[in-house]
Amino acid sequence: MASESIVVFAQFQSAVDEGFWHRLSSLKLNKLGIDDSPIPITGFYAPCSHPQVSNHLTLLAESLPSESNEQSSTAATSGGNRNRCPVPGILYNTNTIESFHALDKKSLLKAEAKKIWDDIHSGKAVEDSAVLSRFLLISFADLKKWTFHYWFAFPALVLDPPATLVDLKRASQYFSLEEAKSVSVACNEWRNSSLTADVPFFLVCIDPNSLATVKHIKDWETCQSDGNKLLFGFYDPCHLPNNPGWPLRNFLALISVRWNLKSVRFLCYRENRGFADLGLSLVGEALITVPQGRAAKTGNGLGWRDHQCLPNAVGWEQSKGRQVSRCISLAKSMDPTRLAISAADLNLKLMRWRALPSLNLNALSSMKCLLLGAGTLGCQVARMLMAWGVRKITLVDNGRVAMSNPLRQSLYTLDDCLNGGEYKATAAVKSLGRIFPAVDAEGVVMAIPMPGHPVPSQEEDNVLEDCRRLHDLVDSHDAVFLLTDTRESRWLPTLLCANTNKITITAALGFDSFLVMRHGAGPFSSNDERQRLGCYFCSDVVAPIDSTANRTLDQQCTVTRPGLAPIASALAVELLVGILHHPHGIFADGELANSSSSGSSELPLGVLPHQIRGSLSQFSQMTLVGQSSNSCTACSSTVVSEYRERGMEFIIQAINHPTYLEDLTGLTELMKSASSFKLDWDNDDDVDDDDCVEI
């Protein structure tokens, strides 16, 4: 190029790795919430390395700060990577798409340009030249649709009047053979050193003997020797043969302000396969005229050296030749299971933004829940647990799916009823997997041994095996839900939970009424300061017996109003969540609704009741508290001690002999005392009517 022309710079281009958006989503959900404060980020770029493709400024997952670190990721980024020259940037991530479009882009660009201007005048840009390429990113992350709107800006100070280009040619044409060889060697050494590989601006000094050295720009004064050629070099991401890259714009501003040079010889450094390529690199000369801005008009003659004279700035990235934002959707490219997990966790993580900052998602996701019964209640409870983030669910049931089940039992379909019906435990697990692939669900087909259902001697070994298996299941889970449809089927699980001090929750249905309750801690738990809450059997004065014999069809089936089970199931799961977030956990006292003495009413999840009894016929609900009974046939210290001493022998005796538990706990004597108690009425007819009080 022989004639002078205005320098036309090739604008920076951006590229965002998918990992950046995943990290931003996680940061937004787990830490930032609705905080839309600017976030320091780091971009990376390298010299052009292909004759037909420019390099981009790239954002990676590590461009963002980690969730545990308040600082920018810049400090955590390892230096000396020749393919990752770090560039500081700032991210403005808005909470709504409307806020994204309403951002004052002109002011934001000017603010970042002023930072560059300040760094030039303070000398920071000489010490750390990467700040000359400072960038800006605005974004909106739609985490429901996994869509991201964004727009980059690469602030560039506007030369007024523009710099003119005297000459621009390939570096191989500018240097002599000796100079070219020496420059290539010096640049390769600079790029291969861990101390300088990611320093994007530098000086190339060539002495009269054609020996080239590459130095930091802060060493400009030491390079002023007669006969030396001096070039201002920079890593040029652009591949175009007639256009220097965008970083040169602010580099020229720095050179004009710091050293007041009017003519600047520059090297657009480019590579091929990791080595200097002088056939691709460019050498040019630019003329800088003293700006005709405010400083010139005031007559101080300082031009750009006047710190108060902030130049105009440009730099919003174009998309297909237009200045518009970009949008990317990751929904189609993501693994469906990963999408399901993100979507499932979204509502829970959003709770922590405003409504429930103390929500412990780790406690929920690590909870192992055992559901005894996979019927109307079991299906609903399993789905509610998944909605709260519980991922480990085991269902126990020995029944098969009948034609009457799918309408009320939400995990089953008609296909599960065919050919005699699939086992409920197995079908429920398959259904949970279809609903949420990340759930860790297991189905166990087994019957629960029950008092009042005598065991023939030939079946005793099988029943004992079921008892041991149930013991192991209770022992390996954190919370147990008793969701069976008979009273006696809850006895053995209640005993096992009391023995191991497990969180235990019972849900039971009538035709139009329900009971949901949490069992108190076991009798030998370590906390002796509070009186224990009762279990499901503590208010009974008789032992559980066979409740299925001599029943009509409507008594054999669970005949309830259809809306009852979802209500009871939801309350049962909410009880579990309340226990996990209560400071006393399983030892928490039972609290009553609307009670002024309730200490937990100030907790984020409110009161933690012991029992909830509801009636659909009255559309009413009440909370009750019942303390543990020393004569309880399931959780009293007498029964638990007997089980610990005799083990399975005790279980078989309780199953085969209905009155054994009553005799053991003293209920038999209590009933005898009650039946022999006589109340003597005073039949004195001489009582004066005046002694009576009308009520």
Side-chain angles (χ1 to χ4, degrees):
M1 298 181 61
S3 60
E4 294 184 10
S5 61
I6 295 175
V7 183
V8 179
F9 304 92
Q11 192 176 33
F12 243 138
Q13 296 177 333
S14 65
V16 185
D17 184 78
E18 183 178 318
F20 176 86
W21 299 122
H22 288 298
R23 172 74 72 87
L24 177 61
S25 303
S26 178
L27 197 65
K28 178 72 174 173
L29 285 173
N30 299 324
K31 183 177 180 181
L32 298 177
I34 59 173
D35 183 3
D36 58 1
S37 303
I39 306 170
I41 58 177
T42 305
F44 304 96
Y45 86 101
C48 172
S49 57
H50 193 282
Q52 296 180 339
V53 180
S54 295
N55 269 345
H56 297 62
L57 184 129
T58 305
L59 296 185
L60 307 171
E62 53 264 41
S63 296
L64 284 162
S66 64
E67 294 179 23
S68 59
N69 183 13
E70 294 284 347
Q71 302 300 320
S72 167
S73 60
T74 306
T77 303
S78 58
N81 189 331
R82 58 180 291 120
N83 296 316
R84 290 189 184 181
C85 302
V87 178
I90 197 79
L91 168 64
Y92 290 86
N93 187 57
T94 62
N95 288 312
T96 65
I97 187 64
E98 292 80 10
S99 300
F100 172 77
H101 290 304
L103 285 173
D104 188 345
K105 301 171 185 61
K106 183 177 179 180
S107 297
L108 291 175
L109 182 66
K110 185 176 181 179
E112 294 308 304
K114 186 178 186 304
K115 294 178 183 178
I116 297 174
W117 186 244
D118 292 341
D119 290 340
I120 289 175
H121 280 271
S122 67
K124 180 180 179 180
V126 176
E127 296 295 330
D128 180 13
S129 58
V131 299
L132 292 173
S133 300
R134 187 187 299 274
F135 69 97
L136 164 69
L137 174 63
I138 61 175
S139 67
F140 165 65
D142 186 341
L143 302 184
K144 292 184 69 176
K145 300 178 181 178
W146 276 94
T147 301
F148 302 88
H149 301 260
Y150 67 100
W151 199 349
F152 276 87
F154 303 99
L157 303 172
V158 177
L159 297 172
D160 182 20
T164 57
L165 195 60
V166 177
D167 187 27
L168 183 66
K169 62 180 65 174
R170 297 188 184 278
S172 58
Q173 298 174 353
Y174 173 79
F175 295 119
S176 67
L177 291 178
E178 292 79 6
E179 289 174 342
K181 182 178 180 180
S182 183
V183 168
S184 296
V185 171
C187 288
N188 289 332
E189 289 178 353
W190 177 269
R191 290 282 289 150
N192 290 329
S193 170
S194 60
L195 299 177
T196 57
D198 56 1
V199 179
F201 297 91
F202 53 91
L203 296 173
V204 178
C205 184
I206 306 175
D207 67 15
N209 297 321
S210 300
L211 180 63
T213 55
V214 178
K215 297 184 178 182
H216 290 275
I217 58 175
K218 64 182 179 181
D219 298 327
W220 181 81
E221 285 81 2
T222 64
C223 297
Q224 303 306 303
S225 301
D226 293 337
N228 283 356
K229 286 184 180 179
L230 186 63
L231 294 89
F232 290 87
F234 69 99
Y235 295 166
D236 189 357
C238 175
H239 76 283
L240 299 176
N242 298 317
N243 303 91
W246 200 252
L248 181 59
R249 296 195 68 146
N250 292 334
F251 198 17
L252 291 178
L254 170 68
I255 294 169
S256 177
V257 171
R258 296 295 298 178
W259 299 295
N260 197 26
L261 298 182
K262 304 299 187 294
S263 175
V264 178
R265 182 74 64 177
F266 58 86
L267 168 65
C268 303
Y269 177 78
R270 302 171 182 177
E271 294 182 337
N272 186 12
R273 297 182 180 179
F275 296 97
D277 186 344
L278 298 189
L280 186 59
S281 300
L282 303 177
V283 172
E285 182 180 359
L287 299 181
I288 305 175
T289 306
V290 176
Q292 302 300 315
R294 185 178 65 186
K297 293 178 181 178
T298 56
N300 60 17
L302 293 177
W304 269 22
R305 287 179 294 165
D306 181 4
H307 191 180
Q308 302 304 315
C309 182
L310 176 63
N312 292 327
V314 295
W316 284 106
E317 186 179 19
Q318 294 185 352
S319 177
K320 298 180 181 179
R322 300 167 53 210
Q323 283 202 342
V324 293
S325 61
R326 299 182 180 184
C327 179
I328 183 173
S329 175
L330 300 184
K332 292 183 179 180
S333 64
M334 292 182 63
D335 176 69
T337 300
R338 185 174 180 181
L339 265 178
I341 295 173
S342 299
D345 291 342
L346 177 62
N347 186 59
L348 296 174
K349 292 182 177 180
L350 291 179
M351 287 184 187
R352 300 199 301 186
W353 285 17
R354 301 179 197 253
L356 194 58
S358 60
L359 179 62
N360 190 342
L361 295 181
N362 290 333
L364 289 164
S365 62
S366 61
M367 176 67 48
K368 299 177 182 178
C369 292
L370 176 63
L371 278 55
L372 302 181
T376 309
L377 289 169
C379 290
Q380 294 286 352
V381 168
R383 298 197 65 155
M384 291 292 174
L385 287 173
M386 289 199 305
W388 265 112
V390 175
R391 297 292 177 259
K392 173 61 179 176
I393 300 173
T394 302
L395 296 107
V396 175
D397 201 300
N398 73 327
R400 293 182 180 271
V401 183
M403 286 290 183
S404 60
N405 293 153
L407 289 177
R408 293 172 179 252
Q409 301 178 13
S410 59
L411 293 180
Y412 309 126
T413 64
L414 179 63
D415 289 342
D416 300 319
C417 309
L418 303 179
N419 302 317
E422 190 171 359
Y423 281 111
K424 287 185 175 181
T426 305
V429 167
K430 292 179 180 178
S431 180
L432 292 176
R434 288 192 296 267
I435 295 169
F436 184 57
V439 69
D440 180 10
E442 179 185 0
V444 178
V445 178
M446 64 169 285
I448 299 176
M450 298 176 285
H453 295 251
V455 179
S457 57
Q458 63 270 23
E459 296 181 12
E460 187 171 303
D461 290 340
N462 292 333
V463 172
L464 289 175
E465 180 59 29
D466 287 340
C467 291
R468 296 186 187 96
R469 192 175 185 187
L470 184 60
H471 174 275
D472 293 340
L473 285 170
V474 170
D475 193 51
S476 61
H477 288 75
D478 305 308
V480 181
F481 286 84
L482 308 187
L483 310 171
T484 53
D485 53 5
T486 62
R487 176 171 170 266
E488 61 268 27
S489 61
R490 299 185 179 101
W491 175 79
L492 181 56
T494 299
L495 168 61
L496 296 177
C497 290
N499 179 55
T500 53
N501 200 36
K502 298 288 183 178
I503 296 175
T504 311
I505 296 173
T506 288
L509 304 178
F511 167 66
D512 59 5
S513 61
F514 66 84
L515 164 68
V516 176
M517 67 177 295
R518 59 186 175 99
H519 295 202
F524 301 111
S525 57
S526 58
N527 193 314
D528 297 327
E529 299 178 2
R530 293 179 171 83
Q531 185 175 357
R532 289 195 306 117
L533 294 177
C535 75
Y536 178 73
F537 294 93
C538 277
S539 59
D540 290 347
V541 293
V542 293
I545 57 174
D546 185 357
S547 61
T548 61
N550 196 27
R551 279 189 168 190
T552 61
L553 181 61
D554 65 317
Q555 294 172 326
Q556 295 174 26
C557 300
T558 305
V559 179
T560 66
R561 291 174 62 166
L564 207 62
I567 297 173
S569 302
L571 290 173
V573 175
E574 293 295 327
L575 265 186
L576 171 66
V577 178
I579 294 171
L580 295 179
H581 286 79
H582 195 284
H584 300 302
I586 193 175
F587 300 103
D589 293 332
E591 297 162 353
L592 301 176
N594 304 319
S595 173
S596 59
S597 61
S598 175
S600 293
S601 60
E602 299 179 359
L603 293 175
L605 289 173
V607 300
L608 182 60
H610 175 221
Q611 300 179 30
I612 307 166
R613 294 180 181 266
S615 170
L616 273 184
S617 62
Q618 301 294 324
F619 284 93
S620 64
Q621 184 173 294
M622 67 178 70
T623 55
L624 303 171
V625 177
Q627 304 300 337
S628 60
S629 168
N630 293 330
S631 300
C632 178
T633 58
C635 78
S636 64
S637 57
T638 302
V639 173
V640 175
S641 296
E642 193 73 8
Y643 168 69
R644 290 185 175 183
E645 290 178 10
R646 299 176 56 202
M648 294 302 151
E649 179 187 355
F650 163 74
I651 299 296
I652 291 297
Q653 187 172 358
I655 291 174
N656 289 334
H657 302 281
T659 61
Y660 169 65
L661 290 173
E662 296 176 3
D663 296 340
L664 177 66
T665 57
L667 287 177
T668 302
E669 292 298 324
L670 179 64
M671 296 300 293
K672 289 181 179 179
S673 300
S675 61
S676 62
F677 180 73
K678 293 183 179 180
L679 181 64
D680 294 328
W681 294 92
D682 187 355
N683 294 320
D684 189 354
D685 294 333
D686 298 329
V687 177
D688 192 344
D689 288 343
D690 293 337
D691 294 333
C692 297
V693 179
E694 183 177 353
I695 300 178

